[in-house]
Amino acid sequence: MIALAVYGVVGGVSADPAAPSATSTEIEFGSEVVDIGPRPGQQAPEIEVETYTGDGVFTLSDHLGHPVVINFWYPSCAGCRIEKPFITAAHEKFKDQGIVF
């Protein structure tokens, strides 16, 4: 989902009327309504992971107050390889605006 949000920033945004609004946390999935995420204003859970380069630890709470894009991927994932240029382009475009990638 994060990659799709980044694609929307770097690429084009779908005008799909069925797409959830920016404040919606529920989507229709078949005959069910599924809660897809946190409520507006809700703080994200703490995340602490080793960086992919292995030279440190990323701690989400160190970036409180800044938008953060986190993408979990692995090199042999075809979809991950496809989305990487979009995420890299978004990083280059927004890195000086306080968005953490």
Side-chain angles (χ1 to χ4, degrees):
M1 184 145 204
I2 290 170
L4 294 176
V6 171
Y7 176 76
V9 170
V10 177
V13 176
S14 170
D16 180 0
S21 71
T23 58
S24 174
T25 63
E26 296 179 341
I27 61 170
E28 289 186 36
F29 186 72
S31 61
E32 297 181 55
V33 175
V34 180
D35 189 354
I36 60 168
R39 305 277 184 270
Q42 182 179 358
Q43 188 170 346
E46 179 61 279
I47 296 174
E48 188 173 298
V49 295
E50 185 175 340
T51 60
Y52 74 95
T53 57
D55 61 354
V57 174
F58 173 87
T59 304
L60 183 59
S61 60
D62 289 347
H63 305 284
L64 194 61
H66 295 277
V68 176
V69 176
I70 300 173
N71 187 3
F72 297 94
W73 70 283
Y74 63 101
S76 61
C77 165
C80 299
R81 291 192 312 266
I82 291 168
E83 71 189 8
K84 185 184 181 309
F86 296 104
I87 294 171
T88 300
H91 172 256
E92 289 301 314
K93 183 175 182 177
F94 297 108
K95 67 183 177 185
D96 295 331
Q97 297 178 31
I99 299 176
V100 178
F101 285 79

Short mmCIF file of all heavy atoms in Angstrom, two decimals, residues 38-100:
data_model
loop_
_atom_site.label_atom_id
_atom_site.label_comp_id
_atom_site.label_asym_id
_atom_site.label_seq_id
_atom_site.Cartn_x
_atom_site.Cartn_y
_atom_site.Cartn_z
N PRO A 38 -4.89 2.58 10.68
CA PRO A 38 -5.10 3.42 11.85
C PRO A 38 -6.10 4.55 11.58
O PRO A 38 -6.31 4.93 10.44
CB PRO A 38 -3.72 3.98 12.15
CG PRO A 38 -3.00 3.92 10.86
CD PRO A 38 -3.56 2.74 10.13
N ARG A 39 -6.67 5.04 12.63
CA ARG A 39 -7.59 6.17 12.55
C ARG A 39 -6.77 7.46 12.40
O ARG A 39 -5.63 7.53 12.85
CB ARG A 39 -8.44 6.27 13.82
CG ARG A 39 -9.20 4.99 14.17
CD ARG A 39 -10.50 4.94 13.37
NE ARG A 39 -11.32 3.81 13.72
CZ ARG A 39 -11.26 2.62 13.11
NH1 ARG A 39 -10.35 2.39 12.20
NH2 ARG A 39 -12.07 1.65 13.42
N PRO A 40 -7.33 8.47 11.78
CA PRO A 40 -6.62 9.76 11.68
C PRO A 40 -6.20 10.23 13.08
O PRO A 40 -6.97 10.17 14.03
CB PRO A 40 -7.67 10.70 11.08
CG PRO A 40 -8.56 9.78 10.29
CD PRO A 40 -8.63 8.51 11.11
N GLY A 41 -4.95 10.62 13.19
CA GLY A 41 -4.42 11.09 14.47
C GLY A 41 -3.83 10.00 15.34
O GLY A 41 -3.17 10.29 16.33
N GLN A 42 -4.06 8.75 15.00
CA GLN A 42 -3.54 7.64 15.80
C GLN A 42 -2.05 7.47 15.51
O GLN A 42 -1.62 7.51 14.37
CB GLN A 42 -4.27 6.35 15.45
CG GLN A 42 -3.84 5.15 16.25
CD GLN A 42 -4.62 3.89 15.88
OE1 GLN A 42 -5.51 3.93 15.04
NE2 GLN A 42 -4.27 2.78 16.49
N GLN A 43 -1.25 7.33 16.57
CA GLN A 43 0.19 7.17 16.41
C GLN A 43 0.53 5.75 15.96
O GLN A 43 -0.06 4.78 16.41
CB GLN A 43 0.91 7.47 17.72
CG GLN A 43 2.40 7.53 17.59
CD GLN A 43 3.07 8.06 18.86
OE1 GLN A 43 2.42 8.61 19.72
NE2 GLN A 43 4.36 7.86 18.96
N ALA A 44 1.51 5.65 15.08
CA ALA A 44 1.96 4.35 14.58
C ALA A 44 2.67 3.59 15.70
O ALA A 44 3.25 4.20 16.60
CB ALA A 44 2.91 4.54 13.41
N PRO A 45 2.64 2.26 15.66
CA PRO A 45 3.38 1.48 16.67
C PRO A 45 4.89 1.67 16.47
O PRO A 45 5.34 2.02 15.38
CB PRO A 45 2.98 0.04 16.37
CG PRO A 45 2.53 0.04 14.95
CD PRO A 45 1.97 1.41 14.68
N GLU A 46 5.64 1.45 17.53
CA GLU A 46 7.10 1.58 17.45
C GLU A 46 7.67 0.52 16.51
O GLU A 46 7.22 -0.62 16.50
CB GLU A 46 7.73 1.42 18.82
CG GLU A 46 9.25 1.54 18.83
CD GLU A 46 9.77 2.88 18.34
OE1 GLU A 46 9.85 3.08 17.12
OE2 GLU A 46 10.10 3.72 19.18
N ILE A 47 8.60 0.93 15.68
CA ILE A 47 9.32 0.03 14.79
C ILE A 47 10.79 0.28 15.01
O ILE A 47 11.24 1.42 14.99
CB ILE A 47 8.96 0.28 13.31
CG1 ILE A 47 7.49 -0.02 13.06
CG2 ILE A 47 9.85 -0.55 12.39
CD1 ILE A 47 7.02 0.34 11.66
N GLU A 48 11.52 -0.78 15.23
CA GLU A 48 12.98 -0.69 15.38
C GLU A 48 13.59 -1.86 14.62
O GLU A 48 13.39 -3.01 14.98
CB GLU A 48 13.37 -0.74 16.85
CG GLU A 48 14.83 -0.46 17.09
CD GLU A 48 15.16 -0.35 18.56
OE1 GLU A 48 14.61 0.55 19.22
OE2 GLU A 48 15.95 -1.18 19.03
N VAL A 49 14.31 -1.54 13.53
CA VAL A 49 14.90 -2.57 12.68
C VAL A 49 16.29 -2.16 12.24
O VAL A 49 16.60 -0.98 12.13
CB VAL A 49 14.03 -2.85 11.44
CG1 VAL A 49 12.69 -3.44 11.80
CG2 VAL A 49 13.85 -1.61 10.60
N GLU A 50 17.11 -3.16 11.95
CA GLU A 50 18.44 -2.90 11.39
C GLU A 50 18.26 -2.37 9.97
O GLU A 50 17.41 -2.85 9.21
CB GLU A 50 19.27 -4.18 11.38
CG GLU A 50 20.69 -3.95 10.94
CD GLU A 50 21.54 -5.20 11.06
OE1 GLU A 50 21.17 -6.12 11.81
OE2 GLU A 50 22.59 -5.24 10.39
N THR A 51 19.06 -1.39 9.59
CA THR A 51 18.96 -0.86 8.24
C THR A 51 19.43 -1.91 7.23
O THR A 51 20.19 -2.82 7.58
CB THR A 51 19.82 0.41 8.08
OG1 THR A 51 21.18 0.08 8.35
CG2 THR A 51 19.35 1.51 9.01
N TYR A 52 18.98 -1.77 6.00
CA TYR A 52 19.33 -2.77 4.98
C TYR A 52 20.82 -2.79 4.69
O TYR A 52 21.35 -3.79 4.23
CB TYR A 52 18.52 -2.55 3.70
CG TYR A 52 18.94 -1.37 2.87
CD1 TYR A 52 19.84 -1.53 1.81
CD2 TYR A 52 18.45 -0.10 3.13
CE1 TYR A 52 20.23 -0.44 1.05
CE2 TYR A 52 18.84 0.99 2.37
CZ TYR A 52 19.72 0.81 1.34
OH TYR A 52 20.10 1.89 0.58
N THR A 53 21.52 -1.69 4.98
CA THR A 53 22.96 -1.67 4.76
C THR A 53 23.72 -2.29 5.94
O THR A 53 24.91 -2.54 5.84
CB THR A 53 23.46 -0.23 4.56
OG1 THR A 53 23.08 0.55 5.70
CG2 THR A 53 22.89 0.38 3.29
N GLY A 54 22.99 -2.52 7.04
CA GLY A 54 23.60 -3.13 8.22
C GLY A 54 24.46 -2.19 9.03
O GLY A 54 25.17 -2.61 9.94
N ASP A 55 24.39 -0.90 8.74
CA ASP A 55 25.25 0.05 9.45
C ASP A 55 24.54 0.82 10.56
O ASP A 55 25.04 1.83 11.04
CB ASP A 55 25.88 1.04 8.46
CG ASP A 55 24.85 1.87 7.72
OD1 ASP A 55 23.64 1.61 7.86
OD2 ASP A 55 25.26 2.79 6.99
N GLY A 56 23.37 0.36 10.96
CA GLY A 56 22.66 1.05 12.03
C GLY A 56 21.28 0.48 12.25
O GLY A 56 20.89 -0.52 11.64
N VAL A 57 20.56 1.15 13.14
CA VAL A 57 19.20 0.74 13.47
C VAL A 57 18.26 1.91 13.17
O VAL A 57 18.55 3.05 13.53
CB VAL A 57 19.09 0.34 14.96
CG1 VAL A 57 17.66 0.05 15.35
CG2 VAL A 57 19.96 -0.88 15.23
N PHE A 58 17.15 1.62 12.49
CA PHE A 58 16.12 2.62 12.25
C PHE A 58 15.09 2.49 13.35
O PHE A 58 14.56 1.42 13.60
CB PHE A 58 15.44 2.39 10.89
CG PHE A 58 14.27 3.29 10.67
CD1 PHE A 58 14.46 4.55 10.12
CD2 PHE A 58 13.00 2.90 11.03
CE1 PHE A 58 13.38 5.40 9.94
CE2 PHE A 58 11.91 3.74 10.84
CZ PHE A 58 12.10 4.99 10.30
N THR A 59 14.80 3.60 14.03
CA THR A 59 13.79 3.64 15.08
C THR A 59 12.74 4.67 14.68
O THR A 59 13.07 5.86 14.53
CB THR A 59 14.42 4.01 16.43
OG1 THR A 59 15.48 3.08 16.71
CG2 THR A 59 13.41 3.96 17.55
N LEU A 60 11.52 4.22 14.48
CA LEU A 60 10.46 5.10 13.99
C LEU A 60 10.25 6.30 14.90
O LEU A 60 10.08 7.43 14.42
CB LEU A 60 9.15 4.32 13.82
CG LEU A 60 7.97 5.11 13.25
CD1 LEU A 60 8.32 5.67 11.87
CD2 LEU A 60 6.74 4.23 13.17
N SER A 61 10.27 6.11 16.20
CA SER A 61 9.99 7.22 17.11
C SER A 61 11.04 8.33 17.02
O SER A 61 10.78 9.46 17.44
CB SER A 61 9.87 6.71 18.55
OG SER A 61 11.08 6.10 18.96
N ASP A 62 12.20 8.06 16.45
CA ASP A 62 13.20 9.11 16.24
C ASP A 62 12.74 10.13 15.20
O ASP A 62 13.32 11.20 15.08
CB ASP A 62 14.53 8.51 15.75
CG ASP A 62 15.27 7.74 16.83
OD1 ASP A 62 14.91 7.86 18.02
OD2 ASP A 62 16.21 7.01 16.47
N HIS A 63 11.69 9.79 14.45
CA HIS A 63 11.21 10.65 13.37
C HIS A 63 9.81 11.19 13.64
O HIS A 63 9.10 11.59 12.71
CB HIS A 63 11.25 9.87 12.05
CG HIS A 63 12.60 9.31 11.76
ND1 HIS A 63 13.64 10.08 11.31
CD2 HIS A 63 13.10 8.06 11.94
CE1 HIS A 63 14.72 9.33 11.18
NE2 HIS A 63 14.41 8.10 11.55
N LEU A 64 9.41 11.22 14.91
CA LEU A 64 8.10 11.71 15.30
C LEU A 64 7.88 13.12 14.74
O LEU A 64 8.76 13.97 14.83
CB LEU A 64 7.99 11.72 16.82
CG LEU A 64 6.60 11.88 17.41
CD1 LEU A 64 5.71 10.72 16.97
CD2 LEU A 64 6.67 11.92 18.93
N GLY A 65 6.74 13.34 14.13
CA GLY A 65 6.43 14.64 13.56
C GLY A 65 6.78 14.78 12.09
O GLY A 65 6.49 15.80 11.47
N HIS A 66 7.42 13.76 11.52
CA HIS A 66 7.77 13.77 10.09
C HIS A 66 7.06 12.63 9.38
O HIS A 66 6.93 11.55 9.94
CB HIS A 66 9.28 13.59 9.90
CG HIS A 66 10.09 14.71 10.44
ND1 HIS A 66 10.32 15.86 9.73
CD2 HIS A 66 10.71 14.87 11.63
CE1 HIS A 66 11.05 16.69 10.46
NE2 HIS A 66 11.30 16.10 11.62
N PRO A 67 6.64 12.85 8.14
CA PRO A 67 6.09 11.73 7.37
C PRO A 67 7.20 10.71 7.11
O PRO A 67 8.34 11.10 6.82
CB PRO A 67 5.63 12.37 6.06
CG PRO A 67 5.73 13.84 6.25
CD PRO A 67 6.61 14.10 7.42
N VAL A 68 6.87 9.43 7.24
CA VAL A 68 7.85 8.36 7.06
C VAL A 68 7.29 7.34 6.08
O VAL A 68 6.15 6.90 6.22
CB VAL A 68 8.19 7.67 8.40
CG1 VAL A 68 9.13 6.49 8.18
CG2 VAL A 68 8.77 8.65 9.39
N VAL A 69 8.09 6.98 5.09
CA VAL A 69 7.72 5.92 4.14
C VAL A 69 8.59 4.72 4.46
O VAL A 69 9.82 4.80 4.40
CB VAL A 69 7.94 6.37 2.68
CG1 VAL A 69 7.64 5.22 1.72
CG2 VAL A 69 7.09 7.58 2.36
N ILE A 70 7.95 3.61 4.83
CA ILE A 70 8.66 2.37 5.13
C ILE A 70 8.18 1.33 4.13
O ILE A 70 6.98 1.14 3.96
CB ILE A 70 8.38 1.89 6.57
CG1 ILE A 70 8.83 2.93 7.57
CG2 ILE A 70 9.06 0.54 6.82
CD1 ILE A 70 8.44 2.61 9.00
N ASN A 71 9.12 0.68 3.48
CA ASN A 71 8.77 -0.33 2.50
C ASN A 71 9.55 -1.60 2.83
O ASN A 71 10.77 -1.58 2.84
CB ASN A 71 9.12 0.16 1.09
CG ASN A 71 8.63 -0.78 0.02
OD1 ASN A 71 7.98 -1.78 0.29
ND2 ASN A 71 8.93 -0.46 -1.22
N PHE A 72 8.84 -2.67 3.13
CA PHE A 72 9.46 -3.96 3.42
C PHE A 72 9.52 -4.75 2.11
O PHE A 72 8.50 -4.98 1.49
CB PHE A 72 8.65 -4.72 4.46
CG PHE A 72 8.59 -4.03 5.78
CD1 PHE A 72 7.54 -3.19 6.09
CD2 PHE A 72 9.61 -4.18 6.71
CE1 PHE A 72 7.48 -2.54 7.31
CE2 PHE A 72 9.57 -3.53 7.93
CZ PHE A 72 8.51 -2.71 8.22
N TRP A 73 10.71 -5.12 1.69
CA TRP A 73 10.86 -5.83 0.43
C TRP A 73 12.09 -6.72 0.48
O TRP A 73 12.90 -6.64 1.39
CB TRP A 73 10.95 -4.85 -0.73
CG TRP A 73 12.21 -4.04 -0.79
CD1 TRP A 73 12.52 -2.97 -0.01
CD2 TRP A 73 13.33 -4.25 -1.65
NE1 TRP A 73 13.76 -2.49 -0.34
CE2 TRP A 73 14.29 -3.26 -1.34
CE3 TRP A 73 13.61 -5.17 -2.65
CZ2 TRP A 73 15.50 -3.16 -2.01
CZ3 TRP A 73 14.82 -5.07 -3.30
CH2 TRP A 73 15.74 -4.07 -2.98
N TYR A 74 12.22 -7.56 -0.53
CA TYR A 74 13.43 -8.38 -0.68
C TYR A 74 13.77 -8.47 -2.16
O TYR A 74 12.90 -8.36 -3.02
CB TYR A 74 13.26 -9.75 -0.03
CG TYR A 74 12.19 -10.63 -0.63
CD1 TYR A 74 12.54 -11.65 -1.51
CD2 TYR A 74 10.84 -10.46 -0.32
CE1 TYR A 74 11.57 -12.46 -2.07
CE2 TYR A 74 9.87 -11.27 -0.87
CZ TYR A 74 10.24 -12.27 -1.74
OH TYR A 74 9.28 -13.07 -2.30
N PRO A 75 15.05 -8.61 -2.48
CA PRO A 75 15.52 -8.49 -3.87
C PRO A 75 14.89 -9.45 -4.87
O PRO A 75 14.77 -9.11 -6.04
CB PRO A 75 17.02 -8.73 -3.77
CG PRO A 75 17.36 -8.38 -2.37
CD PRO A 75 16.15 -8.76 -1.55
N SER A 76 14.49 -10.65 -4.46
CA SER A 76 13.94 -11.59 -5.45
C SER A 76 12.44 -11.43 -5.65
O SER A 76 11.83 -12.18 -6.40
CB SER A 76 14.27 -13.03 -5.05
OG SER A 76 13.70 -13.33 -3.80
N CYS A 77 11.84 -10.42 -5.04
CA CYS A 77 10.41 -10.13 -5.21
C CYS A 77 10.23 -9.28 -6.47
O CYS A 77 10.72 -8.15 -6.54
CB CYS A 77 9.89 -9.39 -3.98
SG CYS A 77 8.28 -8.61 -4.20
N ALA A 78 9.53 -9.82 -7.48
CA ALA A 78 9.35 -9.11 -8.75
C ALA A 78 8.64 -7.77 -8.55
O ALA A 78 9.05 -6.75 -9.09
CB ALA A 78 8.59 -9.98 -9.74
N GLY A 79 7.58 -7.76 -7.78
CA GLY A 79 6.85 -6.52 -7.52
C GLY A 79 7.70 -5.49 -6.81
O GLY A 79 7.62 -4.29 -7.09
N CYS A 80 8.54 -5.97 -5.90
CA CYS A 80 9.44 -5.07 -5.18
C CYS A 80 10.42 -4.39 -6.12
O CYS A 80 10.70 -3.20 -6.00
CB CYS A 80 10.20 -5.83 -4.10
SG CYS A 80 9.14 -6.59 -2.85
N ARG A 81 10.94 -5.16 -7.07
CA ARG A 81 11.90 -4.60 -8.03
C ARG A 81 11.21 -3.58 -8.94
O ARG A 81 11.80 -2.58 -9.32
CB ARG A 81 12.55 -5.71 -8.85
CG ARG A 81 13.49 -6.58 -8.02
CD ARG A 81 14.35 -7.49 -8.89
NE ARG A 81 13.61 -8.23 -9.90
CZ ARG A 81 13.13 -9.46 -9.75
NH1 ARG A 81 13.31 -10.12 -8.62
NH2 ARG A 81 12.49 -10.05 -10.74
N ILE A 82 9.95 -3.83 -9.28
CA ILE A 82 9.20 -2.91 -10.14
C ILE A 82 8.95 -1.58 -9.43
O ILE A 82 9.07 -0.51 -10.02
CB ILE A 82 7.87 -3.54 -10.59
CG1 ILE A 82 8.15 -4.69 -11.56
CG2 ILE A 82 6.94 -2.50 -11.21
CD1 ILE A 82 6.94 -5.56 -11.85
N GLU A 83 8.62 -1.62 -8.14
CA GLU A 83 8.28 -0.40 -7.42
C GLU A 83 9.52 0.40 -6.98
O GLU A 83 9.41 1.59 -6.70
CB GLU A 83 7.41 -0.69 -6.21
CG GLU A 83 8.13 -1.38 -5.08
CD GLU A 83 7.22 -1.87 -3.97
OE1 GLU A 83 5.98 -1.81 -4.11
OE2 GLU A 83 7.75 -2.30 -2.94
N LYS A 84 10.68 -0.21 -6.94
CA LYS A 84 11.87 0.47 -6.43
C LYS A 84 12.18 1.79 -7.13
O LYS A 84 12.45 2.78 -6.45
CB LYS A 84 13.09 -0.45 -6.47
CG LYS A 84 14.31 0.21 -5.82
CD LYS A 84 15.53 -0.64 -5.94
CE LYS A 84 16.73 -0.02 -5.28
NZ LYS A 84 17.02 1.36 -5.64
N PRO A 85 12.13 1.87 -8.46
CA PRO A 85 12.43 3.17 -9.10
C PRO A 85 11.46 4.28 -8.68
O PRO A 85 11.85 5.45 -8.58
CB PRO A 85 12.31 2.88 -10.59
CG PRO A 85 12.38 1.41 -10.74
CD PRO A 85 11.91 0.82 -9.46
N PHE A 86 10.20 3.93 -8.43
CA PHE A 86 9.22 4.93 -8.01
C PHE A 86 9.53 5.44 -6.60
O PHE A 86 9.43 6.63 -6.32
CB PHE A 86 7.80 4.35 -8.06
CG PHE A 86 7.37 3.98 -9.45
CD1 PHE A 86 7.35 2.66 -9.85
CD2 PHE A 86 7.00 4.96 -10.36
CE1 PHE A 86 6.97 2.31 -11.13
CE2 PHE A 86 6.61 4.62 -11.65
CZ PHE A 86 6.60 3.30 -12.03
N ILE A 87 9.92 4.53 -5.73
CA ILE A 87 10.27 4.92 -4.36
C ILE A 87 11.55 5.74 -4.36
O ILE A 87 11.65 6.76 -3.66
CB ILE A 87 10.37 3.68 -3.46
CG1 ILE A 87 8.97 3.04 -3.33
CG2 ILE A 87 10.93 4.05 -2.08
CD1 ILE A 87 8.95 1.71 -2.65
N THR A 88 12.51 5.34 -5.17
CA THR A 88 13.76 6.10 -5.28
C THR A 88 13.48 7.51 -5.81
O THR A 88 14.02 8.50 -5.30
CB THR A 88 14.77 5.37 -6.19
OG1 THR A 88 15.03 4.08 -5.63
CG2 THR A 88 16.06 6.14 -6.33
N ALA A 89 12.63 7.63 -6.82
CA ALA A 89 12.29 8.94 -7.38
C ALA A 89 11.56 9.80 -6.35
O ALA A 89 11.83 11.00 -6.24
CB ALA A 89 11.42 8.76 -8.63
N ALA A 90 10.67 9.19 -5.58
CA ALA A 90 9.96 9.95 -4.53
C ALA A 90 10.95 10.42 -3.48
O ALA A 90 10.87 11.56 -3.00
CB ALA A 90 8.88 9.08 -3.91
N HIS A 91 11.89 9.57 -3.10
CA HIS A 91 12.91 9.96 -2.13
C HIS A 91 13.70 11.17 -2.64
O HIS A 91 13.90 12.15 -1.93
CB HIS A 91 13.86 8.80 -1.85
CG HIS A 91 15.03 9.19 -1.01
ND1 HIS A 91 16.28 9.36 -1.55
CD2 HIS A 91 15.14 9.47 0.30
CE1 HIS A 91 17.11 9.73 -0.58
NE2 HIS A 91 16.44 9.79 0.54
N GLU A 92 14.15 11.11 -3.88
CA GLU A 92 14.91 12.21 -4.45
C GLU A 92 14.09 13.50 -4.50
O GLU A 92 14.60 14.58 -4.22
CB GLU A 92 15.42 11.86 -5.85
CG GLU A 92 16.53 10.83 -5.84
CD GLU A 92 17.74 11.27 -5.04
OE1 GLU A 92 18.18 12.42 -5.20
OE2 GLU A 92 18.26 10.45 -4.25
N LYS A 93 12.81 13.38 -4.83
CA LYS A 93 11.95 14.55 -4.96
C LYS A 93 11.62 15.19 -3.60
O LYS A 93 11.55 16.41 -3.50
CB LYS A 93 10.66 14.16 -5.67
CG LYS A 93 9.72 15.31 -5.92
CD LYS A 93 8.53 14.90 -6.74
CE LYS A 93 7.61 16.09 -7.01
NZ LYS A 93 6.49 15.71 -7.88
N PHE A 94 11.44 14.37 -2.56
CA PHE A 94 10.93 14.89 -1.29
C PHE A 94 11.91 14.85 -0.13
O PHE A 94 11.57 15.27 0.98
CB PHE A 94 9.66 14.11 -0.90
CG PHE A 94 8.54 14.29 -1.89
CD1 PHE A 94 8.17 13.26 -2.73
CD2 PHE A 94 7.87 15.50 -1.99
CE1 PHE A 94 7.15 13.42 -3.65
CE2 PHE A 94 6.84 15.68 -2.90
CZ PHE A 94 6.49 14.64 -3.74
N LYS A 95 13.14 14.39 -0.32
CA LYS A 95 14.07 14.24 0.80
C LYS A 95 14.38 15.56 1.51
O LYS A 95 14.64 15.57 2.70
CB LYS A 95 15.35 13.56 0.35
CG LYS A 95 16.19 14.37 -0.62
CD LYS A 95 17.42 13.59 -1.07
CE LYS A 95 18.21 14.39 -2.07
NZ LYS A 95 19.32 13.61 -2.61
N ASP A 96 14.33 16.67 0.80
CA ASP A 96 14.64 17.96 1.41
C ASP A 96 13.41 18.60 2.07
O ASP A 96 13.50 19.72 2.58
CB ASP A 96 15.22 18.91 0.36
CG ASP A 96 16.56 18.43 -0.17
OD1 ASP A 96 17.28 17.73 0.59
OD2 ASP A 96 16.87 18.72 -1.33
N GLN A 97 12.28 17.91 2.04
CA GLN A 97 11.04 18.44 2.62
C GLN A 97 10.67 17.75 3.93
O GLN A 97 9.55 17.86 4.40
CB GLN A 97 9.90 18.32 1.61
CG GLN A 97 10.14 19.15 0.36
CD GLN A 97 9.03 18.98 -0.64
OE1 GLN A 97 7.88 18.76 -0.29
NE2 GLN A 97 9.37 19.09 -1.91
N GLY A 98 11.60 17.00 4.50
CA GLY A 98 11.37 16.37 5.80
C GLY A 98 10.71 15.01 5.75
O GLY A 98 10.36 14.45 6.78
N ILE A 99 10.50 14.46 4.54
CA ILE A 99 9.91 13.13 4.44
C ILE A 99 11.04 12.11 4.56
O ILE A 99 12.05 12.20 3.87
CB ILE A 99 9.15 12.94 3.13
CG1 ILE A 99 8.00 13.96 3.05
CG2 ILE A 99 8.61 11.51 3.00
CD1 ILE A 99 7.23 13.94 1.74
N VAL A 100 10.87 11.15 5.45
CA VAL A 100 11.90 10.15 5.72
C VAL A 100 11.57 8.88 4.94
O VAL A 100 10.45 8.39 5.00
CB VAL A 100 11.97 9.85 7.23
CG1 VAL A 100 13.00 8.79 7.52
CG2 VAL A 100 12.25 11.13 8.01
#
